[in-house]
Amino acid sequence: MTARKKKKKTKEKQVHRVYCTYFPNGDYYIGYSGKTEKLYEKYYGSSKYVLEYKGLLEKETIVEYEKKSHAKIQEFLLQWQQRKDPKCLNSMLNIRLNKEPLADFEPIHWSPKCPL
């Protein structure tokens, strides 16, 4: 009896996204996602706020990167930039990155949309 060879699935190229989820009351949350396109379409974040507003949210993809480190530093910088905005729901800043992969990183300029 011969062993069957499993066919390898072609792996979708990973895209690292920084996004903003907007809530009906004008609040927003800045996040990171490394999910595939199909999973990302329905993903608005995993915070307790997102779970409360199922179906009533709007998402903006701010920027996409090939490198995870670029997306993570951009997420942090945008969260830091908006830290004094009471509408920004980000309360935890969690970053630990190696600086070498960031040598060619250039931050973007972004502002949240006006309330819905």
Side-chain angles (χ1 to χ4, degrees), residues 29-30 72-84 88-96:
Y29 178 84
I30 300 165
K72 294 299 286 182
I73 192 67
Q74 187 62 71
E75 175 198 28
F76 167 75
L77 291 172
L78 294 177
Q79 291 172 345
W80 184 253
Q81 173 187 314
Q82 301 300 325
R83 71 190 180 278
K84 294 181 181 178
C88 182
L89 298 177
N90 294 88
S91 59
M92 294 297 296
L93 300 174
N94 184 7
I95 187 160
R96 183 180 173 144

Side-chain angles (χ1 to χ4, degrees), residues 28-80:
Y28 61 93
Y29 178 84
I30 300 165
Y32 157 83
S33 175
K35 296 187 178 299
T36 62
E37 184 68 34
K38 188 175 181 179
L39 293 174
Y40 177 71
E41 286 176 16
K42 297 176 184 177
Y43 184 73
Y44 291 87
S46 57
S47 74
K48 63 182 179 182
Y49 307 111
V50 170
L51 302 175
E52 292 174 15
Y53 285 96
K54 287 183 181 175
L56 301 171
L57 303 172
E58 182 181 332
K59 180 174 60 184
E60 172 189 3
T61 300
I62 299 169
V63 65
E64 297 180 350
Y65 293 102
E66 290 182 9
K67 294 180 180 180
K68 181 178 181 178
S69 59
H70 286 197
K72 294 299 286 182
I73 192 67
Q74 187 62 71
E75 175 198 28
F76 167 75
L77 291 172
L78 294 177
Q79 291 172 345
W80 184 253

